[in-house]
Amino acid sequence: MSASAVHAYGEPLELPVVVGVDGSEPSLRAVDWAADEAALRGASLRLVYASLWERYEGASRATDFGEASEEVMAEDIVRTAERRARHRRPGVKVSTDVLPEEPEYGLVRESRSALAMVLGCRGRSAVTEALLGSVSVAVAGRARCPVIVLRGSHDNQARIGAHGRIALGVGEKPAGSAAARFAIGEALLRRVPLEAVRAWRRPLHEPPAHPLIVGGPAHLEEQQAVDLVEEALRDAPADLRVRRRTVEGYARDALIAVSREADLLVVGARRRQGHFGLQLGRVAHGVLHHAACPVAVVPEPA
């Protein structure tokens, strides 16, 4: 199957997959993932280092022979990342660039001409886990393209999916959802099933109803969740294996649970015209901090 058949927004193949690198081990893992993504889509790979990154997350770069991080120049960082990408995917065209600016602004600008963007996640300790990495959150909340943040395993190796499944968090407005298109495309590219999940909550003080008595979903809210899942999957091709799930409870908790058995969790984030602040949403923000697998945040028009 050609990559052009499953692009999330119908972008031309000339657009690259962009990865933000900073010399850290997690960013090298992001290079691996991005190289695989570019190979799957028949796209090029662009490695970008914003030289003021250390202002945000410190200069804990991966260095050889104990070399002090302050002595590692920007050229060394992108050169190391380039070697890694070429070794991982020799057939992928690779370009590099150094941006003499803060990463939040540089990477968001790069997202305007990217097929997707991939970022590593440094969170290990309780403090950094809570912060996640201000760059990852800021870019995911403002980017114009899908942003994949590599949550989950911290072995600094991007491996072939262990679970063989893509998960989609179904939003409030699933008709024409960019997140659904992206998730369907990822599942088709990887030739794995797609699991579409929608959480629902029973109103307070409503007594439980038994589904065997009512002959279907026990609550109106549950039926609405079923309908939203169906709407999100309306354009899924017939040959795609799909699992539909509705879960009673909070959306964030349901998606975090699903992430433990997925290779990628896809969620949408509404973008309002003329609004320049962080546009992430509580659910996307929550799974970025706590998911057990990589998370793709896909911008949705408001």
Side-chain angles (χ1 to χ4, degrees):
M1 178 177 297
S2 66
S4 60
V6 291
H7 281 172
Y9 304 111
E11 309 94 330
L13 283 174
E14 288 74 15
L15 291 180
V17 173
V18 175
V19 55
V21 299
D22 65 355
S24 67
E25 288 289 354
S27 83
L28 294 179
R29 179 173 173 246
V31 170
D32 290 346
W33 182 287
D36 291 347
E37 189 77 13
L40 281 171
R41 294 177 173 273
S44 61
L45 178 63
R46 179 169 165 81
L47 309 173
V48 176
Y49 171 58
S51 60
L52 299 183
W53 204 307
E54 62 273 9
R55 285 190 183 182
Y56 283 74
E57 297 177 10
S60 57
R61 304 187 182 109
T63 59
D64 295 328
F65 308 109
E67 183 181 5
S69 59
E70 58 267 23
E71 297 175 8
V72 180
M73 303 301 292
E75 293 78 7
D76 296 325
I77 292 173
V78 295
R79 193 178 301 115
T80 298
E82 181 180 12
R83 285 197 301 267
R84 177 122 169 183
R86 293 189 186 280
H87 180 265
R88 176 119 181 154
R89 292 291 180 176
V92 171
K93 180 181 177 181
V94 181
S95 62
T96 65
D97 201 2
V98 175
L99 309 178
E101 58 185 319
E102 295 175 342
E104 175 184 339
Y105 303 108
L107 293 176
V108 169
R109 188 178 63 252
E110 288 283 327
S111 75
R112 298 171 187 167
S113 55
L115 190 61
M117 180 169 289
V118 184
L119 299 173
C121 176
R122 292 182 181 175
R124 293 177 188 238
S125 69
V127 174
T128 55
E129 196 68 39
L131 294 174
L132 175 66
S134 56
V135 172
S136 299
V137 173
V139 175
R142 295 181 175 90
R144 299 285 295 276
C145 71
V147 175
I148 301 171
V149 178
L150 297 192
R151 294 282 315 156
S153 172
H154 295 301
D155 59 6
N156 299 320
Q157 298 293 320
R159 306 179 189 278
I160 296 175
H163 301 286
R165 181 182 306 167
I166 302 297
L168 166 67
V170 176
E172 294 286 347
K173 299 178 180 180
S177 165
R181 294 198 304 273
F182 184 85
I184 290 170
E186 291 292 301
L188 289 171
L189 285 170
R190 290 167 170 75
R191 300 179 181 178
V192 298
L194 172 65
E195 183 170 12
V197 181
R198 173 71 188 180
W200 62 278
R201 296 179 63 199
R202 182 170 49 227
L204 293 176
H205 311 301
E206 178 181 315
H210 199 289
L212 294 180
I213 298 176
V214 299
H219 303 278
L220 174 62
E221 292 75 21
E222 184 179 6
Q223 182 60 58
Q224 291 172 339
V226 170
D227 293 342
L228 288 172
V229 170
E230 290 299 328
E231 191 173 353
L233 298 173
R234 183 178 56 191
D235 297 326
D239 60 343
L240 176 63
R241 290 171 291 166
V242 176
R243 181 183 181 188
R244 298 160 171 84
R245 285 186 61 184
T246 56
V247 181
E248 183 177 5
Y250 290 99
R252 190 196 75 161
D253 295 341
L255 294 179
I256 290 171
V258 168
S259 75
R260 300 187 186 107
E261 299 179 349
D263 299 317
L264 178 68
L265 171 61
V266 181
V267 295
R270 292 285 163 188
R271 297 288 194 263
R272 290 176 291 167
Q273 291 292 335
H275 182 82
F276 299 101
L278 192 67
Q279 301 186 65
L280 200 53
R282 287 182 296 176
V283 174
H285 194 275
V287 297
L288 274 177
H289 282 77
H290 300 288
C293 72
V295 176
V297 178
V298 181
E300 303 271 14

